[in-house]
């Protein structure tokens, strides 16, 4: 079977790395890919938002199965377009991807089907939004309704900060994504993510993971796309994972079917484990980045039949095995990230890091220039290691990080601290 993975991040590198080992894979392509992905797949110079270009690439390369990485094309209907062209696809329809595309839609669904999540209101006008904030007090969470590249969530510590967030978002800070607001009660607890594959009817839980969103050690500073992750997540033990499946994920999949939007693909639940039990923070309709890097490192089964069952049905006949080892991923980003960052610096000694036992270096923002690996900025590498415990995986990952010679980049030095200290 010829498979096309859509995307260019370390998440897609990890997916390609897993897919390339499948007995079902003949040729593996990635659009557009990066320098690391080029080592395991044929990269095609087609952007993730170029639906006609992707369909043409499918025809040119006799693609049988398309695996979509990022949320943007899913919310815009790429899975529908691929399916309409008669090609199997891993990823939800636009109607189902609305779970991530509209936070208000997700919250209304939870309200209707009694799925535990923070109390909320939806607003398109500042005056009722501020009246609502007067009832919640601070801290309170103000969110742009639509996709805002992970930046549309403001945790307001004071009422005046919340008012400013309302004015900024409705004033156009995030463009159309902020035409509507969701304002939520602030939940306290520990965050974790659980991933589940869905075929519209059946749900197969994958492993849990925890990530670090803030740029600085100790989880301080601005939010990022994610500076590191580890799996398993100690806060999501087997009993808690089963509660999340029973109280949140299975009811959501049933609700989506009842609403005429059957969910097929991976459902990524962002959770707050509170004193009262698990609560849903948000849904994502694709794999997480950097969580996918640690999930793929731990996966001990062929990924492709599971992804195909999401499209074809029959997920109830699939089992996935996971290594007992823990995995930990340290993200290396270009200096300046998540603000304006440097581009074009040379990264040396990657091969030495990758050659270390139990280590895989997944690429995100890289390109190849005459054999040299060049940073294209943002999050650039995901240095991922397996170990008998999270502490051992952490030690191996940082040993590999320290082998890489890249003055143009940085990383946090404390990925996994919560799991290791507890
Ligand atoms: P989201 O993009 O919705 O996942 O939000 C980004 C981050 O904001 C989450 O990972 C949480 O750390 C935080 N967050 C979002 N909603 C809430 C909430 N209702 N209570 C507490 N923290 C939240």
């Amino acid at each position: 079977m010829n498979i096309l993975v859509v995307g260019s991040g370390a998440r897609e590198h990890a997916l390609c790395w897993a897919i390339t080992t499948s007995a079902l894979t003949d040729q593996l392509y990635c659009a557009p890919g990066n320098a690391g992905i080029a080592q395991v797949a044929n990269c095609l110079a087609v952007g993730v938002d170029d639906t006609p270009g992707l369909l043409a690439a499918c025809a040119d390369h006799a693609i049988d199965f398309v695996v979509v990485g990022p949320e943007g094309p899913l919310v815009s209907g790429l899975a529908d377009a691929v399916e309409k062209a008669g090609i199997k696809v891993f990823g939800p329809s636009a109607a189902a991807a609305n779970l991530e595309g509209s936070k208000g839609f997700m919250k209304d669904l939870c309200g209707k089907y009694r799925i535990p999540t923070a109390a909320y209101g939806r607003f398109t006008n500042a005056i009722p939004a501020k009246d609502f904030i007067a009832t919640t007090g601070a801290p309170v969470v103000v969110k742009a309704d639509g996709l805002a590249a992970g930046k549309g969530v403001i945790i307001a510590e004071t009422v005046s900060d919340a008012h400013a967030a309302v004015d900024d978002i409705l004033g156009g800070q995030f463009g159309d994504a902020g035409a509507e607001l969701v304002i939520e009660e602030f939940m306290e607890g520990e965050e974790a993510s659980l991933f589940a594959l869905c075929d519209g009817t059946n749900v197969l839980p994958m492993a849990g993971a925890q990530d670090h969103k803030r740029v600085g050690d100790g989880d301080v500073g601005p939010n990022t796309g994610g500076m590191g992750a580890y799996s398993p997540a100690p806060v999501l033990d087997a009993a808690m994972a089963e509660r999340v499946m029973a109280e949140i994920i299975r009811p959501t999949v049933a609700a989506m079917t009842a609403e005429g939007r059957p969910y097929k693909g991976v459902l990524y639940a962002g959770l707050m484990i509170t004193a009262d039990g698990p609560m849903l923070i948000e849904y994502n309709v694709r794999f997480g980045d950097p969580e996918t890097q640690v999930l793929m490192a731990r996966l001990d089964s062929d990924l492709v039949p599971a992804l195909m069952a999401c499209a074809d049905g029959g997920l109830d006949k699939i089992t996935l095995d996971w290594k007992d080892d823990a995995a930990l991923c340290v993200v290396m980003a270009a200096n300046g990230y998540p603000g304006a960052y440097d581009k074009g610096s040379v990264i040396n000694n990657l091969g030495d890091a990758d050659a270390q036992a139990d280590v895989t270096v997944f690429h995100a923002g890289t390109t190849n220039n005459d054999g040299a690996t060049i940073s294209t900025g943002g999050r650039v590498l995901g240095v991922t290691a397996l170990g008998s415990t999270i502490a051992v995986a952490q030690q191996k990952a940082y040993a590999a990080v320290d082998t890489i010679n890249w003055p143009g980049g940085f990383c946090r030095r404390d990925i996994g601290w919560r799991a290791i200290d507890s």
Side-chain angles (χ1 to χ4, degrees), residues 88-223:
K88 274 191 220 307
V89 62
F90 173 80
S93 66
N98 218 26
L99 269 183
E100 179 169 358
S102 166
K103 294 187 191 297
F105 169 81
M106 181 280 273
K107 298 294 286 189
D108 284 353
L109 189 91
C110 289
K112 183 170 171 186
Y113 292 91
R114 298 176 181 277
I115 294 161
T117 187
Y120 73 106
R122 295 179 75 169
F123 305 96
T124 51
N125 191 303
I127 293 168
K130 291 178 185 175
D131 288 346
F132 184 76
I133 290 167
T135 67
T136 62
V140 63
V141 187
V142 183
K143 300 183 174 184
D145 181 74
L147 293 185
K151 300 193 177 95
V153 174
I154 289 106
I155 315 262
E157 300 292 344
T158 64
V159 166
S160 71
D161 285 353
H163 286 186
V166 167
D167 291 334
D168 287 348
I169 296 177
L170 289 178
Q173 186 185 11
F174 301 111
D176 288 349
E180 186 172 335
L181 289 178
V182 171
I183 303 181
E184 285 181 17
E185 150 198 67
F186 178 80
M187 296 185 284
E188 301 224 32
E190 189 166 343
E191 282 184 56
S193 307
L194 186 62
F195 295 81
L197 296 176
C198 312
D199 67 4
T201 308
N202 303 292
V203 188
L204 177 65
M206 301 182 85
Q210 281 179 270
D211 76 341
H212 294 267
K213 287 243 184 309
R214 305 295 189 102
V215 74
D217 284 12
D219 295 318
V220 298
N223 262 331

Side-chain angles (χ1 to χ4, degrees), residues 203-291:
V203 188
L204 177 65
M206 301 182 85
Q210 281 179 270
D211 76 341
H212 294 267
K213 287 243 184 309
R214 305 295 189 102
V215 74
D217 284 12
D219 295 318
V220 298
N223 262 331
T224 69
M227 295 302 293
Y230 50 96
S231 174
V235 72
L236 265 187
D237 59 16
M240 184 58 76
E242 181 41 40
R243 263 191 88 175
V244 172
M245 291 302 294
E247 296 172 22
I248 297 180
I249 293 185
R250 282 191 213 105
T252 301
V253 173
M256 291 296 280
T257 302
E259 295 289 313
R261 301 170 187 251
Y263 192 91
K264 297 179 177 189
V266 62
L267 193 53
Y268 156 5
L271 304 160
M272 189 71 82
I273 309 302
T274 73
D276 298 330
M279 309 270 282
L280 180 68
I281 301 174
E282 64 161 355
Y283 274 127
N284 296 300
V285 298
R286 34 74 192 180
F287 281 111
D289 186 344
E291 293 93 330

